[in-house]
Amino acid sequence: MKMNKIKALAPAATLLLSMGLTSCMADLDDGNIDPNATGSVDVTGFYTKCYASLIMEGLDGNADFSIDDNGKSTLLRNVFNFSELSTDEAICWWSDGDITEVGFNRTVPGTPILKFLYYRLVSNISYCNSYIQISETQGDKTRLAEVRFIRAYNYFLMLDYFGDPAFTDKISTETPLQAHAHNGKYEAGKNYSRAELLAMGREFLFNWIKGELEAIQNDLLPAQPETDSDPNYGRVDQGTCWLLLSRLYLNAGTYLNNDGQKNPYWKEAKDYAEKIIHSNYALFDDTKISGAAKAAGYQPYDLLFMGDNGSNGASCEALLPLLQDGKKTKGWGGSLFFVAAMWNPSMKTVTDRDAGTTGNNWSGMRCRPQLIEKFVDNPSVFLNKTTKEIREMGIDDRALFWGQGYIDDVGTWRERTVELKDNSSFAYGLVTTKWNNNYSTGQDPHDSYDVDTDFFLFRVAEAYLNAAEALMHLNGEGDGTAKNYLNALRNRAHAGEKNSFTLNDVLDERAREFYFEGQRRTDLIRFNQYGGASTYMWDFKAGAEKGATFEKYRNVYPIPTTEVMANRNLTQIDGYTQIDN
């Protein structure tokens, strides 16, 4: 069967830019510039570009802004770097781009890779603003709502990472604080502390995102799962919008009060999550897996992250799949990154197959011991075991880890350890085989170098976890519906039901379900277990071998030096202003 990932009008990442656009943000080192400084544009092409910006570098493999490695410009790769490497889940031993400093919670305004995250978000927002401005007179109402969603999602990430970044909903630039002032909330002449200013900017941006999502939801396609043979596969629909609203409300305490547990919006977080749970979307579980995939030894969780996840049934859980095709949509920072950066050639899948991308094994990312401890009390029980052997232990289907050593490039045997030691080798720390490019049918993927694996940016499982957490805050940890939601995930993973759960159990369940998918930093901050006085430690937290606390101001990242220097409207985040850039 030939899977056609790219269709003429589908919002896949083929960049149908027929408008002669080389880069709307030709060089963001110069600050925010006008992305409309071009001639006529193809509205359909720009619409496609807005979707492509979520997973691709740019046009024909070139980045949308000046960078030394195009793959580092991709949104998904940056989300992984800044949401996973800074937490108890992932660590990287590469030295390029100061990635280790991110992993050691030492990011400063001049950290080289920080600007790639910021510029990607600014670039994506600029594309969306341009499409919205153009399509107000030429565009389709549903597509307009979709692009407004993509813009709101990028601003959600801005809020989450930076708190008070640049803000522009037209072809102009100000800060959320300035926009807040326009609404009459800012008293001119009053002496505000930087903390007060940051809180005001966050409040504006939170309310702006909320207002956008609530305004567009009725204009989106109905909440309906699709497969990659359906014309609307990969488009934002009402379910996608509901889940982002639930995520926004779930984290309202962080954004509004700087305390994730003091949240005035638990009910809204629960309500929007339950809209998804009761929609046509569903958890991909034993009742939906095909006979062929089951016979091959796969469990439902495995199929969410494979090369044919758009057609093997798993897409019933995918609220927004970002499309990849090894022949048609190539890139270094999308789904390929989630295979290549986490594999070496000796590793095998849960069914003893290689990664399916034999030309790409970058051997970089490993698991911190604290992630493994979410599955077993003693992580060393996984040492010297393959993923298949770990599965046969019957612990949890989500424990897709690899514990064996390997022969390195110079022929030396490297023993795998649970401990990260000095973080100087791919052998230090267990690794994950969660993503691969194999087909559950046994069919060959489209390419042995690039991947067909779609990235499920939003999954139904998150709705179950959001609703359970919110219900516990509303009704107490003994809430029966919350218990049922959590046990639904555990049953899908064949991990065994539990009779009771605490809120900390919810946080651990989120780690088991979503590790390496770009949510962990936000979750830890919401539970007040990231920056500040938290006693929760992980190896190399704050760069200390056994972990150390770091300042609460690091719950947001600094605005890159280059952007502050180029944009007089921006003020650096408190705490970072005295740090050597």
Side-chain angles (χ1 to χ4, degrees):
M1 177 184 69
K2 180 180 179 181
M3 293 183 354
N4 182 12
K5 289 286 182 78
I6 310 303
K7 299 174 175 61
L9 296 179
T14 45
L15 308 187
L16 306 176
L17 295 176
S18 60
M19 67 288 240
L21 176 70
T22 58
S23 173
C24 279
M25 305 296 282
D27 186 352
L28 289 179
D29 285 331
D30 294 331
N32 296 317
I33 59 176
D34 183 352
N36 251 12
T38 60
S40 61
V41 297
D42 180 330
V43 175
T44 299
F46 232 137
Y47 165 77
T48 302
K49 174 63 179 177
C50 293
Y51 272 96
S53 69
L54 297 174
I55 195 168
M56 299 296 289
E57 294 94 336
L59 184 63
D60 296 330
N62 296 310
D64 288 326
F65 47 85
S66 179
I67 192 171
D68 62 342
D69 179 341
N70 291 332
K72 294 177 184 176
S73 74
T74 314
L75 180 63
L76 281 184
R77 186 163 172 177
N78 278 290
V79 166
F80 178 87
N81 287 344
F82 288 93
S83 294
E84 295 292 342
L85 292 179
S86 63
T87 75
D88 59 344
E89 291 190 350
I91 194 165
C92 183
W93 68 280
W94 301 334
S95 59
D96 61 314
D98 286 335
I99 199 167
T100 303
E101 294 305 294
V102 176
F104 288 178
N105 311 105
R106 294 173 177 167
T107 306
V108 296
T111 297
I113 65 170
L114 178 67
K115 64 182 178 182
F116 305 152
L117 169 66
Y118 194 90
Y119 290 175
R120 168 50 60 191
L121 293 171
V122 170
S123 179
N124 289 0
I125 290 165
S126 298
Y127 286 127
C128 292
N129 282 339
S130 297
Y131 174 84
I132 291 164
Q133 182 169 307
I134 294 163
S135 66
E136 284 176 345
T137 56
Q138 304 177 41
D140 173 272
K141 182 179 180 181
T142 303
R143 290 187 174 189
L144 177 61
E146 293 168 36
V147 174
R148 287 175 69 183
F149 173 90
I150 295 170
R151 180 178 64 175
Y153 172 65
N154 279 279
Y155 265 126
F156 171 84
L157 295 178
M158 276 285 205
L159 173 65
D160 191 78
Y161 289 128
F162 300 104
D164 189 24
F167 173 82
T168 169
D169 60 354
K170 297 182 175 63
I171 309 304
S172 63
T173 301
E174 54 191 7
T175 66
L177 174 60
Q178 290 170 316
H180 195 280
H182 297 165
N183 289 344
K185 300 289 184 69
Y186 178 80
E187 296 180 32
K190 179 178 177 180
N191 262 341
Y192 288 98
S193 69
R194 177 59 183 146
E196 288 174 319
L197 297 178
L198 176 60
M200 293 171 68
R202 281 177 161 180
E203 180 189 1
F204 169 81
L205 194 48
F206 175 90
N207 286 324
W208 183 88
I209 296 166
K210 176 169 71 74
E212 276 289 283
L213 296 174
E214 289 173 343
I216 64 174
Q217 58 182 314
N218 291 333
D219 291 335
L220 294 166
L221 294 169
Q224 179 64 46
E226 308 273 357
T227 69
D228 58 15
S229 61
D230 295 318
N232 292 327
Y233 180 71
R235 293 180 71 176
V236 171
D237 67 15
Q238 290 177 341
T240 324
C241 188
W242 296 337
L243 189 50
L244 185 54
L245 273 165
S246 177
R247 189 185 294 185
L248 179 71
Y249 284 128
L250 193 75
N251 291 286
T254 297
Y255 304 141
L256 300 177
N257 304 319
N258 203 25
D259 184 340
Q261 301 299 288
K262 296 179 179 178
N263 187 343
Y265 288 106
W266 293 123
K267 184 179 184 300
E268 289 81 355
K270 187 260 312 175
D271 288 347
Y272 276 106
E274 290 189 327
K275 285 173 75 73
I276 298 153
I277 292 169
H278 300 308
S279 74
N280 289 328
Y281 283 99
L283 281 179
F284 182 54
D285 58 19
D286 285 338
T287 66
K288 302 173 184 66
I289 191 169
S290 70
K294 190 78 171 179
Y298 295 110
Q299 297 294 349
Y301 191 77
D302 305 328
L303 273 66
L304 293 165
F305 310 100
M306 293 181 63
D308 62 345
N309 58 354
S311 60
N312 63 21
S315 63
C316 68
E317 186 167 331
L319 288 135
L320 182 57
L322 304 182
L323 278 56
Q324 295 278 261
D325 182 291
K327 290 295 185 186
K328 300 177 181 178
T329 53
K330 299 175 182 289
W332 299 104
S335 296
L336 174 66
F337 173 81
F338 288 81
V339 180
M342 297 162 202
W343 282 70
N344 77 357
S346 68
M347 295 165 59
K348 301 289 183 183
T349 70
V350 72
T351 58
D352 274 343
R353 303 180 71 183
D354 64 32
T357 54
T358 55
N360 276 306
N361 294 282
W362 303 346
S363 308
M365 309 299 171
R366 295 101 63 229
C367 305
R368 302 201 197 216
Q370 288 69 35
L371 172 60
I372 311 302
E373 290 169 358
K374 302 296 185 290
F375 293 89
V376 289
D377 293 334
N378 179 10
S380 64
V381 300
F382 289 167
L383 284 177
N384 302 313
K385 288 185 172 60
T386 66
T387 303
K388 182 177 182 180
E389 290 170 336
I390 291 172
R391 171 64 56 81
E392 289 169 351
M393 296 172 73
I395 295 169
D396 189 314
D397 291 346
R398 298 169 294 189
L400 295 170
F401 302 118
W402 181 266
Q404 289 193 342
Y406 62 97
I407 298 174
D408 66 17
D409 292 342
V410 296
T412 302
W413 173 257
R414 305 303 300 267
E415 193 74 29
R416 178 73 57 193
T417 65
V418 172
E419 297 77 19
L420 302 177
K421 296 192 176 183
D422 61 356
N423 190 39
S424 65
S425 169
F426 187 64
Y428 300 155
L430 300 186
V431 284
T432 181
T433 57
K434 183 169 176 174
W435 281 272
N436 65 83
N437 193 39
N438 292 297
Y439 281 31
S440 61
T441 59
Q443 180 183 351
D444 290 335
H446 293 172
D447 191 79
S448 63
Y449 197 82
D450 292 286
V451 302
D452 298 336
T453 310
D454 297 337
F455 191 94
F456 293 171
L457 189 63
F458 295 92
R459 292 201 284 117
V460 169
E462 183 182 350
Y464 280 73
L465 286 159
N466 290 4
E469 184 178 334
L471 280 164
M472 285 187 179
H473 279 284
L474 291 167
N475 303 327
E477 291 180 331
D479 186 89
T481 303
K483 183 180 79 169
N484 291 339
Y485 289 154
L486 295 169
N487 276 328
L489 294 177
R490 293 184 63 81
N491 284 331
R492 189 262 289 276
H494 304 105
E497 290 191 0
K498 293 180 65 172
N499 292 326
S500 62
F501 294 90
T502 67
L503 279 164
N504 278 335
D505 289 332
V506 176
L507 182 60
D508 288 349
E509 203 64 47
R510 293 186 77 95
R512 286 185 282 269
E513 182 68 33
F514 283 108
Y515 66 90
F516 283 38
E517 292 185 54
Q519 296 198 37
R520 189 57 174 172
R521 171 186 158 275
T522 305
D523 291 343
L524 289 173
I525 292 171
R526 185 173 67 257
F527 276 78
N528 297 325
Q529 294 189 16
Y530 192 69
S534 170
T535 58
Y536 177 54
M537 293 296 150
W538 57 84
D539 288 11
F540 286 106
K541 181 180 180 181
E545 185 176 359
K546 294 302 178 183
T549 60
F550 57 83
E551 302 87 344
K552 192 169 184 177
Y553 70 76
R554 290 188 179 276
N555 280 359
V556 291
Y557 288 108
I559 297 173
T561 299
T562 49
E563 190 70 4
V564 174
M565 292 175 64
N567 185 348
R568 61 183 176 81
N569 291 327
L570 294 176
T571 303
Q572 188 54 268
I573 305 298
D574 253 2
Y576 291 104
T577 54
Q578 302 304 317
I579 291 177
D580 183 8
N581 292 344

